[in-house]
């Protein structure tokens, strides 16, 4: 249910960051981006294309780096955070006197940076797992073999509108019960596809066919690198692609997957076993050391019916090949350079358009954050997130929540009954800012300075076991799903929380020296976006306790759907830079949050200025009006562009609109924008039908 992400800056870039070749690290942390009104191109008309007006000069001055899938102010902050994280890791790796936490993160980072040892070891560290797969002599052994793999690959985080869990064959994790969010249940999810989503297997256009041909060659090369003869690798690649295609056909469509009602399928162990008679779930859970549970959430039952057919139809040779490749592809970033290069060539170059691998220090910094995130985060927070920044954030969050309370009261399309329950839900929301109150304890994770893959595997085992220990336990609303250095934010409907890691609370999003109009336009919009997610087309289906229940009157629900359809239709559009059409039903939640968030944030700014004896038309210190500053600060955080390959992947698989549309579609729905820049009816930035839910 984590909703807010800049697709290129976080989702796709994160898919490639572990694929970097070493380049000399910079001597210092790069400069942060700050809002600068002079960057606008005043030769352009803001009423024709506000994104170009606000961002074209920035984009021209900041071409996409060769090792990136896109460039933007968001990306710049991401790189700054990675650099900041690196300084803490290098200090921990080289200090003569270290705390236990510093020793763990420092030795992890040092093991990752030791290319000589990693390259010398080659595929050796993965041999025990590959030998276990080679020893699969009967399909009845599949549960134990897959459990062994699941214990040593990094567990995925569901940080985005996701097409599937990123794992081998299927995924196992914990989540609150849809009907009683205070209890945690084991969830079993669709997975097992190496391409970003089922559409990549099933679409019949030329580009999709080309990608599948490239993927086929990639599978074959990975198998060859692991020691298989070319002829065998080529034949097995065909079988693996066929198996993944079968899984894709059985998988739930990404748009249907957005609706939590479609995922709310609670089953007993016996009922799960009936879905897949050939796969002994008792053996799997025993091998995983998973606690017993009376109920499981099976997010996509049809997928497991398809898995059953695949177990019955595919030979043992094909299963060994599939599991071998799957294990290789999840481990490739942690192996020797030939595996790193091949992994990058397909996922980085072909799917994202990156020209070069990223530097090793960057991927090592991010890997440490992924595996030991709250240990890494302690030093990051101490250095880069002072208490006064947190206090100002708290004030902004409360101001924007007040604006939503006011918006609910003024809504003409909601009944008093639904309004009352909306107020109750908003009042029950927990606001989490910067970092957790209690840090996670990684002391049981063995970290060795000369064993990078082993460090990752032991960290993975710690995390999967930590998650499984929550089965049947009370849900912890204060647990974080992102690490402190993360440049992102999220809303979680089942815990009824909004979450802002310290990593995003830096310029240009949050600037302690900036005027309120700038901060409200930048990070304030992010706050409003996350708050709105609790009331978007899917978030509105959860109550104040995080339970999936209908608290809307039929008339109010119909009114909501009518207003939301306006946004869905508006965002169902051709995206020329991606070469595909955007599905407004897929991006509806994010688009509703963008449009609602900016309205709420602007109302909060107006309330704040009123207390100071100002209004939105008051001239600010930068020579612009407060209102102009607000909109330009909003556009500024989305300045940037994507490579065509990355843009295509994002539009097909992620819920966020590309940056240009996050800016232009939003402001074109706002009469306040037209007022700020003197736009009039008939101009592109003044939509004839201005869509709005909140």
């Amino acid at each position: 249910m984590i909703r807010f992400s800049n697709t290129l800056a976080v989702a796709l870039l994160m898919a490639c960051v572990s694929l970097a070749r070493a380049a000399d690290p910079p001597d210092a942390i790069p400069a942060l981006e700050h809002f600068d009104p002079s960057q606008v191109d005043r030769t352009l008309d803001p009423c024709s294309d506000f994104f170009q007006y606000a961002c074209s000069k920035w984009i021209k001055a900041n071409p996409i780096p060769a090792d990136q899938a896109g460039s933007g102010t968001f990306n710049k902050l991401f790189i700054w955070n990675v650099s900041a994280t690196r300084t803490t890791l290098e200090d921990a790796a080289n200090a003569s006197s270290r705390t236990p936490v510093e020793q763990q993160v420092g030795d992890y980072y040092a093991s990752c940076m030791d290319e000589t040892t990693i390259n010398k070891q080659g595929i050796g560290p993965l041999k025990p797992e590959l030998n276990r797969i080679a020893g699969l002599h009967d399909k009845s052994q599949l549960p134990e073999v897959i459990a062994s793999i699941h214990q040593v690959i990094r567990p995925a985080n569901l940080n985005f509108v996701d097409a599937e869990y990123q794992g081998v064959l299927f995924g196992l994790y914990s989540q609150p019960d849809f009907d009683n969010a205070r209890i945690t249940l084991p969830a079993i999810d669709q997975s097992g596809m190496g391409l970003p989503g089922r559409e990549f297997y099933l679409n019949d256009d030329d580009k999709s066919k080309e990608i599948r041909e490239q993927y086929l060659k990639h599978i074959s090369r990975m198998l060859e690198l692991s020691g298989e003869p070319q002829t065998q690798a080529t034949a097995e690649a065909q079988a693996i692609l066929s198996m993944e295609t079968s899984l894709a056909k059985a998988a739930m469509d990404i748009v249907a997957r957005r609706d939590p009602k479609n995922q709310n399928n609670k089953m007993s162990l016996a009922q799960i076993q009936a879905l897949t008679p050939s796969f002994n779930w008792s053996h799997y859970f025993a091998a995983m050391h998973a606690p017993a549970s009376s109920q499981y959430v099976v997010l996509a039952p049809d997928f497991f019916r398809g898995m059953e057919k695949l177990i019955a139809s595919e030979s043992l040779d094909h299963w060994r090949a599939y599991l071998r490749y799957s294990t290789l592809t999840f481990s490739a970033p942690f192996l020797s350079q030939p595996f790193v290069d091949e992994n990058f060539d397909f996922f980085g170059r072909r799917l994202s358009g990156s020209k070069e691998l990223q530097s090793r220090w960057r991927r090592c910094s991010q890997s440490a954050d992924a595996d030991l995130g709250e240990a890494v985060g302690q030093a990051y927070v101490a250095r880069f997130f002072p208490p006064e920044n947190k206090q100002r954030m708290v004030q902004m969050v409360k101001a924007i929540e007040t604006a939503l309370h006011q918006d609910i009261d003024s809504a003409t399309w909601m009944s008093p009954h639904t309004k009352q329950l909306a107020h109750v839900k908003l009042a029950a929301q927990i606001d989490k800012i910067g970092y957790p109150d209690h840090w996670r304890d990684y002391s049981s994770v063995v970290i060795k300075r000369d064993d990078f893959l082993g460090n990752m595997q032991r960290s993975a085992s710690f995390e999967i076991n930590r998650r499984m220990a929550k089965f049947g336990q009370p849900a912890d609303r204060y647990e974080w799903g992102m690490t402190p250095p993360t440049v992102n934010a999220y809303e979680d409907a089942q815990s009824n929380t909004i979450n802002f890691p310290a990593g995003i609370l830096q310029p240009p999003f949050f600037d302690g020296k900036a005027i309120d109009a700038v901060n409200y336009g930048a990070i304030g919009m992010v706050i409003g976006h996350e708050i709105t997610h609790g009331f978007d087309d899917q978030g509105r289906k959860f109550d104040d306790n995080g339970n999936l229940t209908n608290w809307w009157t039929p008339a109010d629900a119909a009114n909501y759907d009518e207003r939301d359809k306006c946004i869905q239709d508006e965002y169902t559009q051709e995206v020329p830079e991606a070469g595909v059409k955007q599905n407004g039903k897929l991006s509806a939640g994010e688009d509703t949050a963008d449009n609602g968030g900016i309205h709420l944030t602007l109302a909060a700014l107006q309330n704040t200025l009123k207390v100071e004896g100002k209004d939105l038309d008051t001239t600010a210190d930068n020579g612009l009006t407060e209102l102009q500053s607000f909109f330009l600060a909003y556009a500024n955080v989305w300045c940037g562009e994507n490579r065509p390959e990355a843009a295509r992947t994002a539009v097909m698989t992620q819920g966020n609109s590309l940056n240009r549309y996050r800016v232009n579609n939003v402001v074109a729905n706002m009469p306040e924008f037209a007022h700020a820049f003197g736009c009039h009816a008939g101009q592109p930035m003044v939509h004839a039908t201005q869509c709005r839910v909140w």
Side-chain angles (χ1 to χ4, degrees):
M1 294 293 173
I2 296 173
R3 308 284 182 81
F4 178 86
S5 65
N6 174 281
T7 304
L8 265 296
V10 181
L12 292 182
L13 186 127
M14 287 293 280
C16 306
V17 291
S18 293
L19 314 172
R21 185 188 298 277
D24 291 336
D27 294 328
I29 301 173
L32 283 164
E33 290 273 331
H34 293 267
F35 173 70
D36 181 3
S38 68
Q39 82 172 30
V40 303
D41 188 343
R42 299 189 184 281
T43 67
L44 301 177
D45 180 5
C47 303
S48 295
D49 188 331
F50 188 59
F51 180 80
Q52 285 297 314
Y53 174 81
C55 296
S56 59
K57 286 176 66 175
W58 191 98
I59 292 172
K60 185 176 180 180
N62 295 272
I64 301 174
D67 64 351
Q68 302 286 314
S71 179
T73 50
F74 205 118
N75 302 61
K76 288 253 186 169
L77 178 55
F78 177 82
I79 292 169
W80 182 90
N81 269 279
V82 174
S83 301
T85 301
R86 164 183 164 259
T87 64
T88 66
L89 291 168
E90 290 198 341
D91 287 350
N94 299 321
S96 57
S97 177
R98 302 185 292 176
T99 67
V101 170
E102 289 171 338
Q103 182 172 350
Q104 272 196 313
V105 299
D107 287 353
Y108 182 103
Y109 180 78
S111 73
C112 179
M113 290 296 293
D114 186 1
E115 284 187 290
T116 301
T117 297
I118 293 170
N119 288 332
K120 184 178 180 180
Q121 291 172 335
I123 200 174
L126 197 61
K127 280 291 182 68
E129 204 57 46
L130 297 180
N131 290 341
R132 186 176 179 89
I133 293 168
L136 178 66
H137 297 304
D138 191 279
K139 292 179 186 178
S140 64
Q141 298 173 305
L142 277 171
E144 289 86 354
V145 173
I146 291 171
S148 177
I149 298 170
H150 284 180
Q151 284 278 353
V152 296
I153 61 172
R154 180 182 289 159
N157 282 322
L158 300 178
N159 290 346
F160 310 96
V161 177
D162 59 305
E164 57 171 303
Y165 180 87
Q166 295 298 310
V168 174
L169 190 58
F170 61 86
L172 173 69
Y173 51 92
S174 57
Q175 74 164 50
D177 182 352
F178 281 111
D179 301 310
N180 179 12
R182 295 298 174 259
I183 295 297
T184 305
L185 293 179
I188 308 172
D189 200 0
Q190 65 189 32
S191 189
M193 295 165 270
L195 292 173
R198 67 192 299 270
E199 292 77 14
F200 281 75
Y201 296 91
L202 307 182
N203 287 359
D204 204 35
D205 58 280
D206 289 343
K207 185 62 178 178
S208 296
K209 292 177 181 177
E210 177 188 344
I211 289 174
R212 288 195 291 270
E213 284 299 316
Q214 293 169 341
Y215 183 50
L216 198 62
K217 294 176 182 177
H218 164 69
I219 297 172
S220 180
R221 286 192 289 264
M222 287 289 284
L223 293 173
E224 286 184 63
L225 286 173
S226 74
E228 289 192 357
Q230 182 180 20
T231 303
Q232 179 183 351
T234 301
E236 288 182 348
Q238 290 283 356
I240 291 165
L241 179 58
S242 176
M243 291 175 73
E244 290 188 4
T245 301
S246 294
L247 294 174
K249 290 177 179 178
M252 185 184 294
D253 173 77
I254 190 171
V255 175
R257 187 172 166 84
R258 286 193 64 241
D259 190 337
K261 294 179 182 177
N262 293 334
Q263 299 185 36
N264 187 18
N265 308 291
K266 287 198 287 292
M267 297 184 181
S268 65
L269 181 59
Q271 289 172 316
I272 299 174
Q273 192 59 64
L275 280 180
T276 53
S278 301
F279 189 90
N280 191 311
W281 286 96
S282 293
H283 289 180
Y284 170 77
F285 289 126
M288 289 291 288
H289 309 291
S293 179
S294 60
Q295 287 187 316
Y296 299 80
V297 182
V298 181
L299 279 80
D302 284 345
F303 174 85
F304 291 95
R305 295 184 180 98
M307 189 180 95
E308 167 65 20
K309 293 179 181 178
L310 204 62
I311 294 173
S313 63
E314 294 294 334
S315 68
L316 267 175
D317 284 341
H318 288 175
W319 274 105
R320 283 191 289 263
Y322 169 80
L323 295 176
R324 183 179 183 87
Y325 166 71
S326 298
T327 303
L328 285 168
T329 198
F330 275 99
S331 305
F334 314 101
L335 296 174
S336 56
Q337 200 63 48
F339 290 95
V340 171
D341 288 340
E342 177 54 41
N343 204 30
F344 169 78
D345 186 64
F346 180 72
F347 291 104
R349 184 174 287 114
R350 306 295 181 186
L351 284 185
S352 298
S354 299
K355 307 302 180 185
E356 296 177 2
L357 297 165
Q358 291 186 15
S359 56
R360 188 170 190 90
W361 68 265
R362 282 188 187 167
R363 61 182 165 97
C364 288
S365 298
Q366 294 167 76
S367 192
D369 183 48
D371 285 338
L372 302 171
E374 291 193 13
V376 174
Q378 292 181 50
Y380 174 90
V381 166
R383 288 193 183 195
F384 303 110
F385 190 60
E388 57 268 25
N389 286 11
K390 182 168 184 174
Q391 183 57 39
R392 192 167 176 186
M393 271 292 296
V394 170
Q395 294 172 353
M396 292 179 69
V397 170
K398 295 305 179 186
I400 296 168
E401 289 172 348
T402 296
L404 179 53
H405 280 298
Q406 294 169 341
D407 195 59
I408 292 168
D409 284 334
S410 65
T412 58
W413 54 276
M414 293 173 68
S415 68
H417 172 77
T418 304
K419 287 183 179 183
Q420 179 185 2
L421 294 177
H423 284 305
V424 170
K425 176 173 180 175
L426 180 57
Q429 177 184 277
I430 294 175
D431 309 326
K432 289 150 56 179
I433 297 170
Y435 50 88
D437 295 330
H438 303 285
W439 297 106
R440 191 166 298 161
D441 180 7
Y442 298 95
S443 59
S444 63
V445 183
V446 176
I447 299 296
K448 300 179 180 179
R449 207 172 174 97
D450 60 352
D451 186 14
F452 179 41
L453 180 67
N455 290 337
M456 185 282 299
Q457 291 179 333
R458 288 184 290 273
S459 298
S461 181
F462 166 84
E463 179 60 18
I464 189 67
N465 283 287
R466 188 189 71 82
R467 296 182 186 186
M468 289 191 301
K470 296 191 289 185
F471 293 174
Q473 299 300 309
D476 181 3
R477 297 179 69 196
Y478 291 90
E479 182 179 1
W480 281 72
M482 289 181 178
T483 66
T486 302
V487 186
N488 212 326
Y490 69 98
E491 179 268 350
D492 180 47
Q494 289 181 280
S495 64
N496 193 14
T497 61
I498 53 174
N499 308 261
F500 305 95
I504 199 173
L505 304 181
Q506 306 287 349
F509 282 92
F510 176 81
D511 190 340
K513 298 180 180 179
I515 62 173
D516 283 335
V518 169
N519 276 327
Y520 273 93
I523 194 62
M525 167 53 188
V526 177
I527 297 168
H529 176 109
E530 300 308 338
I531 293 173
T532 304
H533 265 315
F535 301 87
D536 71 16
D537 65 317
Q538 304 305 326
R540 75 173 186 84
K541 297 175 181 177
F542 295 86
D543 66 12
D544 58 306
N545 291 312
N547 298 327
L548 183 60
T549 184
N550 185 12
W551 49 274
W552 294 71
T553 68
D556 290 344
N559 288 337
Y560 186 105
D561 290 342
E562 180 181 356
R563 297 167 78 88
D564 196 61
K565 186 177 184 302
C566 182
I567 290 179
Q568 292 182 26
D569 291 345
E570 178 181 32
Y571 283 83
T572 298
Q573 58 194 334
E574 295 294 338
V575 184
E577 59 266 51
V580 290
K581 188 174 183 177
Q582 178 171 331
N583 185 344
K585 293 182 179 180
L586 173 60
S587 63
E590 299 297 331
D591 300 331
T592 299
D594 279 348
N595 283 272
I598 199 167
H599 275 283
L600 298 179
T601 306
L602 183 56
L605 173 62
Q606 192 168 17
N607 291 340
T608 300
L609 292 173
K610 185 176 181 180
V611 172
E612 300 171 359
K614 304 175 184 177
D615 60 33
L616 294 172
D617 291 325
T618 299
T619 301
D621 294 342
N622 56 25
L624 303 169
T625 68
E626 301 278 1
L627 190 56
Q628 289 170 334
S629 299
F630 172 85
F631 282 116
L632 285 169
Y634 167 63
N636 178 68
V637 298
W638 299 116
C639 288
E641 61 182 350
N642 313 319
R643 298 190 189 278
E645 299 90 340
R648 181 181 187 276
T649 300
V651 173
M652 291 177 64
T653 62
Q654 298 294 326
N656 291 291
S657 297
L658 297 184
N659 293 10
R660 175 190 303 275
Y661 308 98
R662 295 192 82 157
V663 173
N664 284 351
N665 281 4
V666 167
V667 300
N669 282 328
M670 299 188 68
E672 298 90 345
F673 173 80
H675 171 76
F677 292 94
C679 307
H680 57 77
Q683 291 185 291
M685 294 295 96
V686 182
H687 286 171
T689 300
Q690 295 192 325
C691 302
R692 181 185 172 191
V693 179
W694 300 104

